[in-house]
Amino acid sequence: MIRQISSLPFALSVLTVCAAVLSAAGASLEPVAARPLVPAERRYSPYDGVLPACDDPAVFERIQGRFHDREAEFWNTGLEILGFEKVREIGYKTNGEDYIPRRYCIARAYLNDEKSRQVSYSINEDLGIVGFGFGVEWCVGGLDRNDAYAPNCKMARP
């Protein structure tokens, strides 16, 4: 004669045993030490943490020049950035003390189509051409056509 086991009490007892085993295993594990935090300025090949300000003309020239190149050569729109205003810093070294120093900024850019758009950009130490000088990563809101910083340039901000 085959006797049928009620499934609800059996399932509850199995879950209780599993929960007890997992909690015992979790209680016996010691926390794993994270990697040591070495500020970027004290590394073997250190960074100095000195970056241009958000409103530095050299930063704006790079953004304007690269935006012009991209729009003229790749998208063929003829759009150009005419100027910037409402520039402000929104973060500095927000990724942590032991990462490459970055300054995050936003500004309003005025384009030749008579519209203004938000530009999110970061100024990065030693990420210029061949690792020399500062580098700039940027995204113009509404014009990130290949979604490199999607959604709406959020990935260009901290």
Side-chain angles (χ1 to χ4, degrees), residues 68-85:
H68 168 75
D69 293 345
R70 184 188 74 180
E71 293 297 313
E73 296 173 15
F74 191 74
W75 295 110
N76 198 23
T77 64
L79 286 176
E80 292 186 35
I81 297 176
L82 302 176
F84 297 89
E85 75 171 17

Side-chain angles (χ1 to χ4, degrees), residues 23-42:
S23 67
S28 66
L29 294 177
E30 294 181 19
V32 178
R35 63 184 171 80
L37 178 67
V38 178
E41 292 80 9
R42 289 191 288 165

Side-chain angles (χ1 to χ4, degrees), residues 52 55-63 134 136:
D55 58 355
D56 190 301
V59 172
F60 291 149
E61 286 172 12
R62 286 199 191 178
I63 295 171
F134 69 92
V136 179

